[in-house]
Amino acid sequence: MVPSYCIDDYGVCIHSWIAAVCPVRPIRSNALQRINDDGKLAGRRISKLATRGDTSQCLESRRVVFVGDSVTRTLFFQFIHTVDPKLPKAVPNDGSKHSDHSFLSESQIQLDFLWDPYLNTTSTLALINPPTQNSIDDQFKRPALLVLGSGLWYLRYADDSGGLPTWEARMEAHIEAINAAREKPADEVVFLPVEEVVPSKLSSERLDTMHSSDIDAMNSDLYHRIKPSFNSSWSHLLGSRSPRRIALLSVFNKMLHNSQTQDGLHFTEATVKAQANILLNLRCNAGWPPTFPMDKTCCRMYPWPGPMQSVVLVSLLLYTCALLYFSRIETLVMNKDYLPTVIFGASICIIYLSDRTGLWLKEQKQFNPWTFGFLCLAALAAGLATVRRADKDLGFLNRDQTEEWKGWMQIAILVYHYLGASKISGIYNPIRVLVAAYLFMTGYGHTTFYLKKADFGYIRIFRILVRLNLLTLTLAYTMNVDYLSYYFAPLVSMWYLIIFLTLRIGSQFNDNTPFLVAKISLSMGTFAASIDQKWLLEGLFEILERLFFIRWSAREWTFRVSLDQYIVYCGMFAALLTIKIRDNRLTEHPMWPACKRASIGVSAITLVWFMCFELLQESKFTYNTWHPYISFLPILAFTILRNATPLLRSCSSRVFTFIGKCSLETFIIQYHLWLAADTKGILLLIPGTRWRALNFVLSTMIFVYISHQVAWATGEITGWICGEENKILPVTRDVPRSDVVTSNPEAVLLATGGTDGSGTEPEVPGHHHSQHSLRWIDRLAEGTSSRQSSTISKLWARSSLKQLDMRGKVMMWAGLMWLANVLWTNT
């Protein structure tokens, strides 16, 4: 959609400091199909309002009137075809070009065109100066949209029309009449700019009379007659609305390109269709509810936050500012005790300003296979260039390796989201496998911990759930977004609870392998059967709505869950198998080398088969039917190949590891700070499409930096809320140091307890900034942040809330969220 600030309160496009962004990229031939299908224009977010339900709801069976010349007529026919595809999209070849046209859509919208290139007929004057409206019927007949376009005929036939002076006088009279009227002649009055022509393609007759200098002067005259006050330019940032009498769509001329016209005057269908879509956005978007997703920002202002949302925002802002102030009372240096909360609060404020105000622009995603390939290859090159080898074998699925794994997968997912590649089946299918791989590691990590530590205490549960959901819940309330829309955190939280319950029930018999296998299998079968019973989830969500005022979509959540309903259990079985291989020292068996070579060969064949299989699928919907049953194959194949030799197990990429440490935060924050409009668009920090590449680099750097800082701050705040544990819970059972380096270089080892897999204690986050964020799967397996004594917990100790036990804290926060849900409104 076009951002609301592209067309300000008085309808003037490209005003003052935002003028550089509204001009769109020239619509070249290679972009025609993309624009024609999706209504996409560079530099703006355009909502496609072509469905019958959208237009009928917006225009309410009202009347739409276009008045003007041949340029206006061309726009009219594209407009009516967008409203109702059964209506013509071009003027009929019946010799009635210079005449009126009237149509009625299936949704009973009256669509009229009045041929009046001079805007001086009796019908036009009656529309601009309607009689006093006293009855309900008169109000109903008032047009929902009035579009006026004129100018070129005054130049083409200057001798008969009076030329520029007459046009200026006519425009002045019309604009003054509309501004002076008690009520506008229509809900939305639009003046079209005088269309810029392409002199090199004009006929000789037109070239002699239609001069670009005259057109520029006419558009400048229109602009200054409808120009708002300077202060209104800030109304979009503040969310205020001043009455707009006339909209001037100056952006229309910025959408034109010489290659898109044959006669220098009338432009191609794709160009005019995009203009028609902007008209629909202008008329309709302000009427849509101000709720998630905020993707209809064209020609509308961001809504003021509701009462409870305002309370949350103001509280967060004041608390952050207070901490920032008090931390500097005695010294100019930030007090480290306050740093995590200040970082977290400031980041939330930046995220809000990015995606809920007009401070920065948003534009439509545009998929380009060459850009996608280049970004993926550039990331791969950066990852390979920073590969480092440890001085020993770190073991199977060691910490550095899983961080690296999550890092490169997250980069691929980010590029996929940034370019809007979800419609490309050959890209969508592998990305679905990457999401499944995250869940595989969730099952693997938690199962490894519980089988080796058998710590089923509730404190660990609270720590993991708080760590996973603190950022997500904060954004859900501050951004007024559905919690389930950040589907990854809710998904991982749900699976963690399932893993916990599966292993907790009958945990005293977890050492019995047949019993454990049967228990996991029973859990998998029970879950698969329950997810097929839609009434169960619908009933649960209905209970949540009635008791807790939580409104979630059972259909959407079922889709998310069912796609990967088996992969977590695959991770659980993989963890069990890995533990049994190590405990029984199967790597020392004479048949181990042969088994290893066979598994490597089968894994390589499996990966090749999967790539061919997914590319041959008819569509992503066809692949989705296969995905739950085959996603484990490429994941297990990659795991085996990645751990095939001691060299591969001891090497990892620093770049990928860095991203892996904050993968949860990058996935969540991308919704608003790197992307925009709740992932529907792209954030533009630098106005102007010519700076798109620079904008990508700058926004990426800021996005990654904030994500990394928030990852560390969230870990610290989690320790503050839940309290510090006596010790760091290891990923696996503590083993003697002598077992870390064995005589068998092919040994399948897990990272030892309390280490990073290399036999050294992890760095203290406060000492080295690069260690702020441990990877989230390790935090899940460890149940704590890397610090054993958080400085911020000292402040919490002084609070009376510290006296509450964990259950009391949970009840308190749950009660506050329940109260917020009860009082929440979207207006």
Side-chain angles (χ1 to χ4, degrees), residues 403-566:
E403 285 176 346
E404 175 199 83
W405 190 0
K406 293 196 310 298
W408 69 258
M409 289 195 305
Q410 185 62 25
I411 291 174
I413 292 173
L414 290 173
V415 173
Y416 164 85
H417 284 162
Y418 193 87
L419 295 178
S422 60
K423 294 183 178 181
I424 312 301
S425 176
I427 299 176
Y428 169 89
N429 302 340
I431 294 296
R432 284 256 39 106
V433 174
L434 299 188
V435 175
Y438 276 97
L439 298 177
F440 170 85
M441 284 188 277
T442 298
Y444 182 91
H446 289 306
T447 303
T448 298
F449 171 83
Y450 281 123
L451 293 183
K452 303 308 292 184
K453 284 309 205 179
D455 177 9
F456 295 95
Y458 67 88
I459 293 180
R460 171 180 165 79
I461 300 174
F462 294 149
R463 291 181 64 83
I464 290 175
L465 293 180
V466 170
R467 177 65 188 88
L468 278 174
N469 293 282
L470 179 61
L471 175 62
T472 306
L473 286 172
T474 303
L475 287 177
Y477 284 100
T478 55
M479 306 297 288
N480 193 17
V481 171
D482 185 355
Y483 166 71
L484 292 187
S485 66
Y486 305 102
Y487 72 91
F488 189 71
L491 194 63
V492 175
S493 301
M494 182 202 74
W495 279 116
Y496 166 69
L497 293 175
I498 291 175
I499 294 168
F500 172 81
L501 291 175
T502 299
L503 298 177
R504 179 65 181 88
I505 298 173
S507 58
Q508 64 272 27
F509 303 112
N510 282 349
D511 290 336
N512 187 320
T513 302
F515 172 81
L516 185 57
V517 170
K519 184 169 63 170
I520 296 175
S521 301
L522 178 62
S523 175
M524 180 172 61
T526 302
F527 182 81
S530 62
I531 204 66
D532 287 338
Q533 304 299 318
K534 298 181 179 180
W535 61 272
L536 284 176
L537 190 61
E538 291 174 352
L540 175 61
F541 280 15
E542 184 176 353
I543 293 174
L544 291 176
E545 180 174 357
R546 292 186 177 184
L547 295 182
F548 303 102
F549 301 89
I550 297 173
R551 298 170 180 83
W552 291 342
S553 170
R555 178 180 180 182
E556 176 67 20
W557 188 242
T558 300
F559 169 76
R560 294 291 187 186
V561 172
S562 60
L563 275 178
D564 299 301
Q565 58 184 317
Y566 300 115

Side-chain angles (χ1 to χ4, degrees), residues 36 158 179 183 217 293 340 397 447 457 459 496 526 592 596 649 687 718 808:
N36 196 27
N179 288 331
E183 293 186 2
L397 280 181
T447 303
I459 293 180
Y496 166 69
T526 302
W592 179 257
K596 187 186 73 172
R649 292 193 295 270
T718 299

